[in-house]
Amino acid sequence: GDSVTQTEGLVTLTEGLPVMLNCTYQTIYSNPFLFWYVQHLNESPRLLLKSFTDNKRTEHQGFHATLHKSSSSFHLQKSSAQLSDSALYYCALSDRHMGYKLTFGTGTSLLVDP
Amino acid sequence: GGIITQTPKFLIGQEGQKLTLKCQQNFNHDTMYWYRQDSGKGLRLIYYSITENDLQKGDLSEGYDASREKKSSFSLTVTSAQKNEMAVFLCASSTRDWGGSSAETLYFGSGTRLTVL
């Protein structure tokens, strides 16, 4: 079945350094939708960015990601981490053939230190 | 804008007990979801409903029932609570415009935290 893999459970880095959170996926369908959701402490998850276009960079709130169908990846990046970026980040996958459901990865906790 | 309201926020139950969680949304969204959140396991889909009176099983439906009484509400029942179980249950909703080039956003409630003694 469909799946999303986030290899890092916890990423710790210093404020000002670049961020990269990995996301790869598996699906039998050729036109997946990929999403990044962010969940801050004591809050509910909310959409950070989404994409369905191959090799097109998507940006929001300083974060960016590019869907690469050739490598089945949708890594989340930011050039300079801020303390407020500390949160739990979920990568998710959907496809029109999957109905209306999202498959989420296990999540990556990002901790930014001063 | 809109809001998703989950009740109760905290739920403490006994082993074997039947427990019901409720969710209301005023987005006028067609599709509603129940996800379970466990540390290190991500968000796992329990049930979802694409319209009133519809029910679709997710990957984690065993041990749960659900009911979509009307468009704005979606309830989840834990049929027999497991001892020492602790989890957060998240309700979400979205529009049904998943076709073509559009991919819709899920909006989440603030969750129900379950503890089973």
Side-chain angles (χ1 to χ4, degrees):
Chain A
D2 300 293
S3 64
V4 175
T5 300
Q6 296 180 251
T7 53
E8 310 112 337
L10 173 66
V11 171
T12 304
L13 49 77
T14 302
E15 187 180 18
L17 290 180
V19 178
M20 180 159 167
L21 306 184
N22 291 318
C23 173
T24 56
Y25 64 89
Q26 280 190 310
T27 180
I28 63 173
Y29 303 111
S30 57
N31 294 301
F33 299 140
L34 272 294
F35 306 80
W36 277 100
Y37 279 79
V38 59
Q39 184 178 23
H40 286 93
L41 191 62
N42 296 323
E43 295 182 7
S44 50
R46 62 173 176 80
L47 180 69
L48 180 58
L49 48 80
K50 63 184 178 184
S51 180
F52 54 85
T53 306
D54 198 13
N55 297 317
K56 181 180 177 182
R57 176 172 161 144
T58 300
E59 299 191 38
H60 187 61
Q61 296 183 338
F63 287 91
H64 63 92
T66 303
L67 175 58
H68 291 296
K69 292 184 181 180
S70 60
S71 58
S72 299
S73 67
F74 191 57
H75 305 317
L76 183 67
Q77 299 182 68
K78 189 178 184 184
S79 58
S80 176
Q82 298 177 289
L83 296 176
S84 58
D85 294 331
S86 295
L88 180 56
Y89 292 81
Y90 288 107
C91 184
L93 162 73
S94 185
D95 184 275
R96 60 191 302 181
H97 296 97
M98 290 165 59
Y100 305 101
K101 62 176 186 176
L102 262 66
T103 296
F104 285 85
T106 52
T108 298
S109 289
L110 175 63
L111 182 60
V112 181
D113 293 327
Chain B
I3 191 168
I4 295 180
T5 303
Q6 290 188 238
T7 55
K9 291 190 183 302
F10 299 94
L11 183 57
I12 299 175
Q14 301 289 330
E15 183 182 14
Q17 194 176 2
K18 188 175 184 179
L19 303 167
T20 298
L21 292 67
K22 293 187 180 295
C23 177
Q24 295 262 358
Q25 54 98 359
N26 63 1
F27 286 99
N28 198 33
H29 283 164
D30 297 297
T31 309
M32 296 187 73
Y33 309 79
W34 277 106
Y35 281 91
R36 175 176 166 139
Q37 183 175 35
D38 295 277
S39 179
K41 295 184 180 178
L43 298 172
R44 293 180 289 174
L45 183 63
I46 306 172
Y47 270 97
Y48 66 108
S49 167
I50 62 174
T51 189
E52 185 178 339
N53 294 319
D54 174 75
L55 281 179
Q56 308 281 342
K57 290 185 177 181
D59 299 323
L60 205 66
S61 61
E62 188 171 337
Y64 302 94
D65 286 327
S67 175
R68 183 83 182 270
E69 303 90 359
K70 49 187 178 180
K71 187 175 182 179
S72 62
S73 66
F74 193 31
S75 60
L76 180 72
T77 298
V78 179
T79 56
S80 180
Q82 301 299 303
K83 188 174 175 61
N84 297 324
E85 181 176 7
M86 288 181 64
V88 175
F89 293 86
L90 291 169
C91 177
S93 71
S94 73
T95 65
R96 206 162 66 198
D97 184 17
W98 288 84
S101 61
S102 176
E104 290 304 320
T105 301
L106 260 62
Y107 295 87
F108 285 87
S110 57
T112 293
R113 296 180 180 276
L114 170 67
T115 302
V116 181
L117 303 176

